[in-house]
Amino acid sequence: MEKNKEYKDLINQHAPSSPTLKNSFLAFLVGGGICFISEIFVLFISRFIPEEKAYLSATLILILIASLLTALGVFDKIARFSGGGTLVPVTGFSNSVSSVAIDSRSEGFILGVGSKIFTVAGPVILYATAAGTLYGFIYYIFNLVRDML
Amino acid sequence: MRRIVYFDNDVSFLGSASVGGREEKRGPLGELFDFCDETDRFGMKTWEAAEAEIARLSLNLAMKKTKISPDDLDVLLAGDLENQCVASSSGLYSFGIPYIGLYSACSTATEALFILSNLISSGFIKKGATVTTSHNSAAERQFRTPIEYGGQRSPTSQWTATAGGSFILGSGGTVKIKEGLIGKIVDGLTTDAMNMGAAMARAAFDTIYTYFQLSNEKINNFDLIVTGDLGKYGSQILEELLKKDLPGAEKIHADCGNLLYDENKQDCHAGASGCGCSASVLASYFLPKMEKGELKNILFLSTGALMSPSSVLQGENILGIAPLLRFSIGE
């Protein structure tokens, strides 16, 4: 038993953790940069269409760009550099879907792409939907109680 | 009972070949490989087919270099990292050589050489070959995330080599396989699949320590103790264990995973891993060095992490294994 603990300590001594400070800084820079660019899109697009729809269009453009960069094989290189900065905005979600699509293409469109496409994004979709449902339920009860008072 | 297996009759390397991909070409051993494809595709449509092609190419090259035809080979022992070892079977079926498929994770190269040495030493087989391969993209797809997925990798993670190595064994060659020690399955005491070097270092230590317990050999009789793919941090752990219990051994330790890539120039984190790592480094680097007489006596252990994507998700410890062989020249 004692020996096992010794070895576990040895593993920990020789396992450097990720450079959190550097990663956070790069994530701030790249993630913020992506949001900055998307604000420019919004400003430009809202000249032609209502502002609310301009925000949606900007999101769609980001998704498109991230997918294209994934297909060109550049996205993972940018992501590796940017310490999580590409992961949090919608670009990360786009990449997680399109990268699986490319990967599973060789296994066919139905059982390959079709059944595997959300293997990485799946948890986000499931728990985002679940959290939304829970929030909606709480909001409904809250309103019900408020109206009764 | 654990005991060293002595190959009484001459078992020696008659030929070998190494094949690599883009990162292997860019690495410090790039020029020593027999063939590298910098597209990593090897002319194939899928990564899995590319790995099969690595197996085919490496055996073909080894036979060409030694002027041996498939008819001269009595048996083929091969393994890889793909599910059901399909790269080996689909890449090698066209040779029509009697075949035994093997799996022992990244330690398959040594496992195959060990079994073939037994077959040759016992006289059942005159000549045979071993082939082991891995492909970075095929492994990523199977064990980790999609290839183009933009995630972060931990500093202790290793880069599965896109590489393969083939060896033709028989008798009458310069470099002989003298003895072997079968590895024991050892609990790596970690569940972290991003730190497999640490999981395997314990198994490597167990085998090396047992070898010197059972053998009359002294540490300074050896030029090197070579491990397969412990990488940077696994090597540090092994060297610390050796320093304590087998002083002197840590000074002659080398690791194939640390040799394949340039840590400063290539984004491969803690070094190389995979079935193809130890096989290709042995074929491209250590065997030629022995043939030239620069190394006379070495211990060689490929190291394997025994786990599956499911066992890792289910929180099971990663188990390690490290079979050992002794290579010598002369007498």
Side-chain angles (χ1 to χ4, degrees), chain A residues 17-60:
Chain A
S17 47
S18 301
T20 316
L21 209 68
K22 181 185 156 214
N23 281 351
S24 308
F25 177 70
L26 287 170
F28 174 76
L29 218 66
V30 177
I34 292 169
C35 298
F36 177 73
I37 293 167
S38 101
E39 277 298 330
I40 296 177
F41 287 150
V42 173
L43 285 178
F44 181 73
I45 299 165
S46 58
R47 289 178 172 193
F48 309 102
I49 55 174
E51 202 182 78
E52 197 179 313
K53 283 187 179 163
Y55 273 105
L56 194 63
S57 310
T59 308
L60 292 174

Side-chain angles (χ1 to χ4, degrees), chain B residues 229-250:
Chain B
D229 56 354
L230 298 181
K232 189 178 172 186
Y233 302 106
S235 296
Q236 287 177 1
I237 294 172
L238 175 67
E239 282 164 22
E240 203 151 307
L241 293 171
L242 290 174
K243 208 172 173 178
K244 219 172 79 192
D245 290 327
L246 273 179
E250 82 280 0

Side-chain angles (χ1 to χ4, degrees), chain A residues 4 6-8 10-11 13-18 70 73 76 79-80 83-84 87 95-96 99-100 103 106-107 120, chain B residues 46 141 146-156 159 188-190 195 198-199 201-202 233 236-237 240-241 244 267:
Chain A
N4 286 3
E6 258 174 52
Y7 189 74
K8 281 180 184 171
L10 197 58
I11 293 180
Q13 280 167 32
H14 292 282
S17 47
S18 301
T70 304
D76 59 330
R80 213 176 283 179
L87 199 74
N95 164 254
S96 74
S99 62
V100 183
D103 246 32
S106 63
E107 291 162 6
V120 179
Chain B
T46 67
R141 245 165 70 73
I147 297 145
E148 297 300 335
Y149 178 67
Q152 293 286 310
R153 291 156 59 86
S154 111
T156 53
W159 182 269
L189 295 174
T190 177
N195 192 3
R202 201 160 176 249
Y233 302 106
Q236 287 177 1
I237 294 172
E240 203 151 307
L241 293 171
K244 219 172 79 192
D267 190 18

Side-chain angles (χ1 to χ4, degrees), chain B residues 12-16 66 68 126-127 168-173 175 291:
Chain B
S12 44
F13 287 96
L14 301 180
S16 66
T66 37
I68 280 175
K126 285 261 177 301
K127 284 191 188 90
I168 297 174
L169 300 190
S171 46
V175 183
E291 275 156 11

Side-chain angles (χ1 to χ4, degrees), chain B residues 38-271:
Chain B
E38 290 192 64
T39 67
D40 278 353
R41 284 257 175 212
F42 295 86
M44 296 291 145
K45 275 188 175 162
T46 67
W47 302 117
E48 287 72 15
E51 187 173 341
E53 184 65 4
I54 293 175
R56 194 191 68 79
L57 275 171
S58 73
L59 181 60
N60 218 7
L61 283 166
M63 289 196 300
K64 242 187 197 164
K65 279 165 72 180
T66 37
K67 299 193 176 70
I68 280 175
S69 77
D71 291 339
D72 300 326
L73 293 174
D74 301 325
V75 71
L76 199 54
L77 290 98
D80 58 271
L81 289 184
E82 277 180 34
N83 285 329
Q84 286 79 36
C85 289
V86 75
S88 300
S89 47
S90 64
L92 300 171
Y93 86 97
S94 62
F95 291 105
I97 304 167
Y99 170 84
I100 297 175
L102 299 171
Y103 183 81
S104 185
C106 307
S107 73
T108 311
T110 313
E111 184 192 36
L113 287 171
F114 180 87
I115 297 171
L116 185 55
S117 299
N118 276 283
L119 291 171
I120 291 173
S121 180
S122 63
F124 294 132
I125 294 270
K126 285 261 177 301
K127 284 191 188 90
T130 70
V131 185
T132 31
T133 58
S134 53
H135 194 298
N136 180 272
S137 298
E140 287 293 310
R141 245 165 70 73
Q142 182 176 314
F143 291 108
R144 299 178 195 104
T145 51
I147 297 145
E148 297 300 335
Y149 178 67
Q152 293 286 310
R153 291 156 59 86
S154 111
T156 53
S157 68
Q158 289 172 252
W159 182 269
T160 305
T162 300
S166 289
F167 303 94
I168 297 174
L169 300 190
S171 46
T174 322
V175 183
K176 319 241 179 250
I177 303 182
K178 291 285 190 184
E179 53 195 48
L181 180 63
I182 302 173
K184 214 170 70 177
I185 302 167
V186 176
D187 190 343
L189 295 174
T190 177
T191 54
D192 186 1
M194 287 290 179
N195 192 3
M196 291 199 285
M200 299 185 289
R202 201 160 176 249
F205 173 76
D206 176 80
T207 308
I208 298 169
Y209 186 76
T210 311
Y211 175 81
F212 282 105
Q213 292 272 301
L214 299 173
S215 161
N216 296 322
E217 299 280 343
K218 293 201 172 58
I219 292 164
N220 52 23
N221 290 351
F222 292 95
D223 298 311
L224 280 178
I225 298 172
V226 183
T227 49
D229 56 354
L230 298 181
K232 189 178 172 186
Y233 302 106
S235 296
Q236 287 177 1
I237 294 172
L238 175 67
E239 282 164 22
E240 203 151 307
L241 293 171
L242 290 174
K243 208 172 173 178
K244 219 172 79 192
D245 290 327
L246 273 179
E250 82 280 0
K251 293 197 187 93
I252 53 166
H253 172 244
D255 183 69
C256 299
N258 289 337
L259 291 166
L260 198 51
Y261 305 126
D262 185 332
E263 195 196 342
N264 301 317
K265 286 188 197 147
Q266 291 172 280
D267 190 18
C268 297
H269 295 74

